[in-house]
Each structure stands twice: as structure tokens, then as C-alpha cells.
């Protein structure tokens, strides 16, 4: 296979001349090709088979122990306009970054195969979708891209028709953390990644294209590329509302997107459209519509069990690539909190011993096609996307943020999104459990200056008067003993239900300085046996704590200087003065 697109053909041949692969393979995206690469990896040991009776078509890949998460300190946005990139990103001038990368790439694919992966982010026939091509020397990347994107011949046909595509070059290099960089060139729609095989660093369609490059492009074109799940909530009467929700990495987006309602709400249904990324466009009627650019899930494995996420648990019993989990003696995948079986081998391939740490790495992952999910929405492939009724922000906060609250306006909602802060998790290298600012859950993913990004968000207010309502949730409040105050998981349905009732104007709320909170009996929780004092702390605010939070948030906003949109400053002032009165 080759291509009619001259620009693509020339780029592939330039990269081959630089990297010197022994072979070049154009991926067609077929099942036969997937199986062929799986067989090749089983042959060289980079993949091992799992128990084919209990887990048909499931495989295990163990990465280099130094290459198990995104590396934010080695991830750069490269442009000659430093201010446009913002202090929220690592920055490098274009020429310096290219020089560095080209030095690393020189001859790096000798003895290897270079795969050409044309892919489409979003339904193949959607006007909102965008295409890219990833060149990689990693067969692991090829099989993951097959599950995560629409890749191969169909995507190439679209690229040949449209002409425009994102160029992503990836090499695993030597997996040396000292020779590892993830570079983005948004002005020329290109990505260069070297030295890591880990998902977010190597599957370039995901974070690199669908968030960092796409967010830059979305600003120019008037849409939004967000770190959001998309779900449909269907009532017993058969009415479905769509919600997009942004939480930082490893804070439960996959679980919420696949939620199974508790017994009391068994006539309700939650449908999954996406679990990580949403592209939001305004249609000609002024309605914000969402598509999921991805076609699969790259989910955190530990903690997934029949109770926490039955849909995911069932989905990953077959046709799944596991990365960095442990194994039982009979080769079933095993992870902490699986609540089934015993580990025999850990994620480093050693005999399991509790003293050596967990059997599965805390950021171990499953890769699986979205079509394996029983709750996959029939509209997930709709080229026109789904209309969004509510946007929800959330973080992992032991204290402070109530269970749920609603913004007073779109502009106030943008302030709430900008104020998201959350405890760090194992999805990125670095210490876990520290509270850090993570506006819109986009700290690692916004490809440009946050101040300009907030201006872009604010600009939607002038474009329509039917914008979604904005909310904030926090499933993670704890008491002094570290016990969670809210049961979470399926019970979160009760919060979603309140959110939709608020959107429809069906339920009242109490107004506070930070937004609208549920009334005493606003949520249907009578059967949950939550102590009144606990419920009170979940649904009220502590003014002193909030004054401190807003003051710290104010200093953070100040750090954006003159670029900060005045409207955001005004919204911030309004909350502060409401807290003072
Ligand atoms: C992810 C992440 O993998 O956010 O989705 O790290
Ligand atoms: Mn994510």
C-alpha cells in the first residue's frame, strides 16, 4: 500500500531516510493485520498469552519498569511564540526542539519495522472528526491504535480526500528516561515522541493529538477539545440527556461513563459515549454537541471489579490488551481489588511477594475496543454527535468541595472549571496525593496558554443562549479517619439525576457564595443511611476554608498577568465578596 497524497508520501520517505528502518509497513487496519502483529509479538516475547479459556484473545504486555506513565516534565509545546504556549506548559523554540529530536531519530529504526498508521479521531463520516498519521517502530503501538482509533484504509481514504492530517512520529528509542521527549508543534500540526512506549506518550492519537494539538486547533476554529467523558442518562420514561464531565486522570471518568444504576433506580440507564476525551462543537442551532474522538478505552485496571464497574469488568474478560498487571498461576490477569483469584506473578514478571509491592502497577491499563462495552451508546458513532445538557467538572478533594454544586451562569461555570484542583494520581510520574491546580482537568493537556483558553471558553456565552448548565462534583470527601463520606460508584446516579433535574428546572436549590447546592431533601438518598451530620457536610460549604481556597486561587489567576480575561477576574471577585458578606 502507498498513498496518492503527495505530502504524506514525501513525509514517510523523509522519515524513513532519517530513521533508517529495515522495513516499511502501511497498516490497513484489518483484523488479519492485528492478528499478524499479535503473533509477531507473542513470538518475540513482548506480548504473552493469557488464559484462553477464561480470557479469550487477551494478552499481557509488560513495559520497561521506568516507562509506566505519562512524563509531564518531558512533554513540551514548541512554538516561537512563548507567550501563546503559556507557563502552564513546558516550552521550547521550534528549531531547538527539531534539532534535538532529529538527533535522537537519526538511524533509530535500524533493524526495526516502521509502521505507517493512518487514523481518524471521531466517526469516520463526521464533519467534526480529524485525521492523523502516526509513524512508529512499535508493534505495541499498532495494536493499541487499532483498538483506540478508526485506523487503516478507511482513514487513509479520508486523508486523501481532505488533504489535511496531523503528522505524528514515534520511536521507542532505547527507553532511556534521559533520552525521552514528547514534543508538540501545534502550528504545523505535528508531534514528535521518542524514548517511551507508554500509552499517553506513544499512542499519539490520544493525548498528543486529540487534546494538545486539537485544543490549539479548536481555539482557531471555534470549538473545544476537552478531557471529558460523555454519557447519556436515560430516564424510565425513555428520555435521554447527555452529560460531558471533566475529571483529572485516574479520578473515575471510566467508572462514571459506564455506571450501573443501583437497585432502587433500576429503570434508569447510563449509556457510554466516551470515557476520556470529548470534542464539543456548536451546531447551527446554537446547541453544543459532543463526539468522542476515540474508538476504545485505555483504562486504569486496579480497582476494577464486578461491584465498582461491572460493565468494564465484563468487557475486559475478552479481546483486551493488558499492560503491567500481574497474573494468577493459571495465567489469568490479576490486579489489586479485583476481588477474584490470587496473584502468582507481578507486573515486573517476578514471582509475587507482598513485600515487593502491588502485583499490578497502580497505573496498569486495559486497552479494549469500545464496542465490547454493553453500555455503548447507539449514538456513539453518530456523525452529528449528541446534544450536551450539562458540563460537569470534578476533582479528588478530601476536604472543601461539596458533593455537587451548580454554577450561577456560564461565565461563573468557567471560573469553577478554572478552579479545579485535585490530588495527583499514578497516571503521571511524580508524587501522588498532592493537591495541584488542574483547570478543567486539562493541566497536562491544554496545548496553549490557559488565560487564552479561558477567554475561548468565555466566548461561547456570546454565541448562543442555550449553553449547557455547568456543575462541579466531588465523590472523594473523607472524614478524619480517612473514610469516604459518599458511597460513590453506582450511587453517583443520584447526583446525575439532580443535575438533569436542575437543567430542566424541576428542583429547587440553595444559593451559596460558590453556587447552587442541593436542598435538604434535594437528592433522593433516604435509603442510603447517611448520617444527617455527614449529609450536612457533603452539601454545605465552610466559609473559612472557601475564603482561603479563593484567595489561593486568586494568586494563581494573578500569575497569568494581563492575559487573564477580565470577566474571569470579575467572577472571582464576585465569589470572594459573596463569601465576605
Ligand atoms: C489517561 C490519562 O490515560 O489521563 O487517560 O492519563
Ligand atoms: Mn485521561
Amino acid at each position: 500500500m502507498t498513498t496518492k497524497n503527495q505530502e504524506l508520501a514525501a513525509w514517510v520517505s523523509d522519515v524513513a531516510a532519517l530513521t533508517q528502518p529495515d522495513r516499511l509497513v502501511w497498516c490497513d487496519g484489518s483484523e488479519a493485520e492485528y492478528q499478524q502483529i499479535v503473533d509477531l509479538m507473542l513470538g518475540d516475547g513482548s506480548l504473552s498469552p493469557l488464559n484462553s479459556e477464561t480470557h479469550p484473545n487477551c494478552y499481557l504486555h509488560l513495559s520497561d519498569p521506568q516507562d509506566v506513565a505519562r512524563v509531564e516534565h518531558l512533554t513540551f509545546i514548541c512554538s516561537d511564540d512563548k507567550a501563546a504556549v503559556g507557563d502552564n506548559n513546558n516550552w521550547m523554540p521550534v528549531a531547538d526542539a527539531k534539532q534535538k529530536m532529529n538527533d535522537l531519530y537519526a538511524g533509530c529504526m535500524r533493524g526495526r519495522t516502521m509502521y505507517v498508521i493512518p487514523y481518524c479521531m471521531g466517526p469516520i463520516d463526521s464533519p467534526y472528526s480529524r485525521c492523523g498519521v502516526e509513524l512508529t517502530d512499535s508493534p505495541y503501538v499498532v495494536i493499541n491504535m487499532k483498538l483506540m482509533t478508526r485506523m487503516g484504509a478507511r482513514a487513509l481514504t479520508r486523508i486523501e480526500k481532505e488533504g489535511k492530517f496531523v503528522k505524528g512520529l514515534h520511536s521507542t528509542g532505547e527507553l532511556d528516561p534521559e533520552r525521552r521527549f514528547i514534543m508538540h508543534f501545534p502550528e504545523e500540526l505535528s508531534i514528535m515522541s521518542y524514548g517511551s512506549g507508554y500509552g499517553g506518550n506513544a499512542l499519539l492519537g490520544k493525548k498528543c493529538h486529540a487534546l494538545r494539538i486539537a485544543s490549539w486547533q479548536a481555539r482557531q476554529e471555534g470549538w473545544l477539545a476537552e478531557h471529558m467523558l460523555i454519557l447519556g442518562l436515560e430516564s424510565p420514561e425513555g428520555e435521554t440527556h447527555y452529560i460531558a464531565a471533566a475529571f483529572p486522570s485516574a479520578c473515575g471518568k471510566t467508572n462514571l461513563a459506564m455506571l450501573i444504576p443501583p437497585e432502587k433506580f433500576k429503570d434508569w440507564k447510563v449509556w457510554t459515549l466516551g470515557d476520556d476525551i470529548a470534542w464539543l462543537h456548536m451546531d447551527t442551532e446554537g446547541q453544543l454537541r459532543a463526539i468522542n474522538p476515540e474508538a476504545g478505552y485505555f483504562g486504569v485496571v486496579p480497582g476494577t471489579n464486578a461491584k465498582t464497574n461491572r460493565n468494564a469488568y465484563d468487557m475486559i474478560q475478552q479481546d483486551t490488551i493488558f499492560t503491567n498487571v500481574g497474573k494468577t498461576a493459571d495465567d489469568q490477569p490479576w490486579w489489586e481489588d479485583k476481588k477474584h483469584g490470587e496473584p502468582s506473578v507481578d507486573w515486573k514478571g517476578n514471582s509475587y511477594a507482598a513485600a515487593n509491592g502491588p502485583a499490578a502497577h497502580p497505573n496498569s491499563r486495559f486497552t479494549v475496543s469500545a464496542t465490547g462495552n454493553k453500555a455503548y451508546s447507539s449514538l456513539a458513532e453518530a456523525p452529528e454527535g449528541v446534544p450536551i445538557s450539562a458540563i460537569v467538572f470534578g476533582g479528588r478533594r478530601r476536604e472543601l468541595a461539596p458533593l455537587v454544586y451548580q454554577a450561577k451562569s456560564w461565565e461563573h461555570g468557567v471560573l469553577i472549571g478554572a478552579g479545579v484542583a485535585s490530588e495527583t494520581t499514578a497516571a503521571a510520574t511524580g508524587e501522588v496525593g498532592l493537591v495541584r491546580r488542574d483547570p478543567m482537568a486539562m493541566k497536562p493537556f491544554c496545548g496553549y496558554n490557559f488565560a487564552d483558553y479561558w477567554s475561548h471558553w468565555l466566548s461561547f456565552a456570546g454565541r448562543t443562549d442555550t449553553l449547557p448548565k455547568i456543575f462541579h462534583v466531588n465523590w472523594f470527601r473523607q472524614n478524619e479517619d480517612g473514610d469516604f463520606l459518599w458511597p460513590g460508584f453506582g450511587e453517583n446516579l443520584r447526583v446525575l439525576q439532580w443535575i438533569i433535574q436542575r437543567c430542566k428546572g424541576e428542583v429547587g436549590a440553595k444559593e451559596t457564595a460558590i453556587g447552587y447546592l442541593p436542598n435538604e431533601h434535594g437528592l433522593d438518598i433516604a435509603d442510603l443511611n447517611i448520617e444527617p451530620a455527614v449529609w450536612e457536610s457533603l452539601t454545605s460549604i465552610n466559609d473559612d476554608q472557601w475564603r482561603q481556597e479563593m484567595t489561593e486561587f486568586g494568586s494563581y489567576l494573578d500569575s497569568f498577568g494581563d492575559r487573564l480575561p477580565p470577566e474571569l477576574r470579575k467572577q472571582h471577585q464576585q465569589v470572594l465578596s459573596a463569601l465576605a458578606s
Side-chain angles (χ1 to χ4, degrees):
M1 205 163 86
T2 176
T3 180
K4 294 189 282 223
N5 182 301
Q6 305 269 314
E7 188 186 343
L8 174 55
W11 175 58
V12 170
S13 106
D14 288 350
V15 170
L18 173 67
T19 59
Q20 306 267 303
D22 282 13
R23 284 165 302 274
L24 189 65
V25 171
W26 286 74
C27 298
D28 63 14
S30 64
E31 296 303 321
E33 176 182 83
Y34 179 83
Q35 203 49 55
Q36 215 181 337
I37 296 179
V38 164
D39 291 343
L40 182 115
M41 293 179 69
L42 290 170
D44 71 14
S46 54
L47 216 53
S48 47
L50 289 166
N51 187 319
S52 63
E53 270 168 37
T54 58
H55 290 76
N57 301 317
C58 289
Y59 307 98
L60 173 63
H61 172 78
L62 301 183
S63 7
D64 184 292
Q66 304 252 49
D67 184 33
V68 292
R70 285 182 293 98
V71 282
E72 293 178 8
H73 62 297
L74 302 173
T75 299
F76 288 76
I77 306 291
C78 310
S79 161
D80 293 336
D81 185 352
K82 182 171 193 268
V85 170
D87 291 343
N88 45 301
N89 282 300
N90 299 316
W91 166 81
M92 209 182 280
V94 171
D96 295 7
K98 289 226 172 125
Q99 177 74 51
K100 199 181 256 310
M101 296 311 278
N102 287 337
D103 288 351
L104 292 170
Y105 285 133
C108 72
M109 295 192 191
R110 270 189 212 119
R112 300 182 186 181
T113 300
M114 181 167 93
Y115 297 93
V116 181
I117 312 173
Y119 62 85
C120 178
M121 300 311 289
I124 204 93
D125 52 352
S126 170
Y128 303 142
S129 300
R130 295 288 186 274
C131 291
V133 177
E134 175 164 358
L135 308 183
T136 180
D137 56 10
S138 162
Y140 171 80
V141 165
V142 181
I143 56 174
N144 276 269
M145 287 291 281
K146 160 79 175 153
L147 298 174
M148 294 299 298
T149 70
R150 285 103 177 153
M151 71 93 128
R154 290 181 308 160
L156 184 59
T157 304
R158 181 166 168 159
I159 289 169
E160 288 175 340
K161 226 187 283 161
E162 270 179 356
K164 199 165 173 179
F165 61 97
V166 169
K167 298 186 179 87
L169 171 54
H170 168 254
S171 171
T172 48
E174 309 81 13
L175 295 176
D176 175 356
E178 300 298 319
R179 287 164 56 84
R180 179 175 293 163
F181 289 101
I182 325 294
M183 304 280 195
H184 304 73
F185 305 87
E187 283 135 333
E188 52 184 69
L189 303 181
S190 82
I191 304 156
M192 290 180 159
S193 163
Y194 188 91
S196 167
Y198 173 76
N201 304 329
L203 311 177
L204 302 185
K206 194 176 180 62
K207 303 301 188 181
C208 301
H209 177 166
L211 288 174
R212 297 194 193 97
I213 298 285
S215 59
W216 183 295
Q217 213 177 2
R219 177 174 174 234
Q220 290 172 332
E221 299 175 3
W223 50 283
L224 294 165
E226 298 299 323
H227 192 205
M228 291 177 175
L229 66 90
I230 313 163
L231 64 80
L233 178 63
E234 184 180 335
S235 71
E237 295 75 40
E239 195 180 276
T240 305
H241 288 270
Y242 296 92
I243 297 176
F247 309 151
S249 309
C251 286
K253 286 197 296 300
T254 306
N255 290 345
L256 188 66
M258 296 183 188
L259 182 152
I260 295 183
E263 185 55 25
K264 182 167 174 196
F265 294 86
K266 64 178 184 330
D267 297 333
W268 289 73
K269 283 203 183 73
V270 170
W271 299 107
T272 320
L273 288 103
D275 79 328
D276 195 43
I277 301 179
W279 284 357
L280 304 166
H281 282 80
M282 195 174 286
D283 70 13
T284 48
E285 315 285 295
Q287 170 67 53
L288 210 57
R289 308 190 72 89
I291 62 161
N292 171 14
E294 301 191 279
Y297 312 115
F298 181 68
V300 177
V301 184
T304 307
N305 63 48
K307 261 188 125 161
T308 56
N309 190 339
R310 174 98 237 175
N311 282 326
Y313 189 73
D314 290 350
M315 173 175 74
I316 62 178
Q317 304 297 315
Q318 58 280 307
D319 306 321
T320 302
I321 301 167
F322 288 91
T323 301
N324 296 338
V325 298
K327 277 198 300 193
T328 63
D330 64 346
D331 287 336
Q332 297 191 46
W334 197 90
W335 53 87
E336 276 59 32
D337 257 338
K338 182 179 184 186
K339 312 243 187 267
H340 185 268
E342 295 294 330
S344 154
V345 177
D346 70 15
W347 70 276
K348 293 183 179 160
N350 300 323
S351 258
Y352 173 72
N356 296 342
H361 186 276
N363 191 37
S364 52
R365 298 282 176 144
F366 56 75
T367 317
V368 62
S369 162
T371 52
N373 170 12
K374 282 190 293 238
Y376 193 47
S377 163
S378 61
L379 289 184
E381 305 280 338
E384 70 282 11
V386 292
I388 295 297
S389 300
I391 287 177
V392 180
F393 294 112
R396 187 183 280 273
R397 299 293 302 255
R398 253 166 279 206
E399 295 189 330
L400 189 81
L403 179 63
V404 58
Y405 60 103
Q406 181 188 357
K408 296 178 182 177
S409 64
W410 177 264
E411 291 85 345
H412 177 220
V414 175
L415 180 82
I416 290 176
V420 169
S422 189
E423 291 157 31
T424 50
T425 68
T429 54
E431 200 173 336
V432 302
L434 302 175
V435 174
R436 76 156 177 184
R437 298 250 147 240
D438 193 351
M440 276 81 171
M442 284 285 277
K443 167 73 187 73
F445 309 121
C446 181
Y448 63 103
N449 192 317
F450 263 146
D452 299 342
Y453 170 75
W454 297 323
S455 295
H456 182 48
W457 263 83
L458 289 164
S459 73
F460 281 72
R463 291 172 60 186
T464 178
D465 32 59
T466 52
L467 281 166
K469 302 276 183 275
I470 299 182
F471 298 81
H472 186 284
V473 299
N474 177 21
W475 317 135
F476 300 97
R477 282 285 291 275
Q478 284 169 262
N479 63 18
E480 284 99 52
D481 301 329
D483 306 318
F484 287 101
L485 301 187
W486 173 249
F489 301 107
E491 308 302 346
N492 293 336
L493 181 99
R494 300 171 199 251
V495 175
L496 298 182
Q497 197 190 23
W498 184 80
I499 286 174
I500 295 304
Q501 285 171 338
R502 287 294 299 162
C503 290
K504 294 170 74 180
E506 286 178 356
V507 63
K510 62 182 179 214
E511 184 169 355
T512 72
I514 65 161
Y516 299 112
L517 268 72
N519 282 328
E520 193 185 342
H521 301 294
L523 260 78
D524 186 354
I525 54 140
D527 55 318
L528 284 185
N529 297 324
I530 296 180
E531 299 276 330
V534 170
W535 184 241
E536 170 64 18
S537 60
L538 281 168
T539 55
S540 58
I541 62 165
N542 176 320
D543 285 1
D544 285 341
Q545 279 183 358
W546 270 99
R547 263 192 291 274
Q548 192 185 333
E549 169 75 8
M550 290 311 281
T551 305
E552 281 168 21
F553 178 34
S555 315
Y556 174 70
L557 292 177
D558 287 343
S559 72
F560 291 88
D562 291 348
R563 244 171 147 110
L564 188 76
E567 178 63 38
L568 209 61
R569 165 75 54 219
K570 183 176 130 201
Q571 292 294 330
H572 179 258
Q573 286 301 337
Q574 273 171 4
V575 177
L576 260 187
S577 36
L579 282 165
S581 62

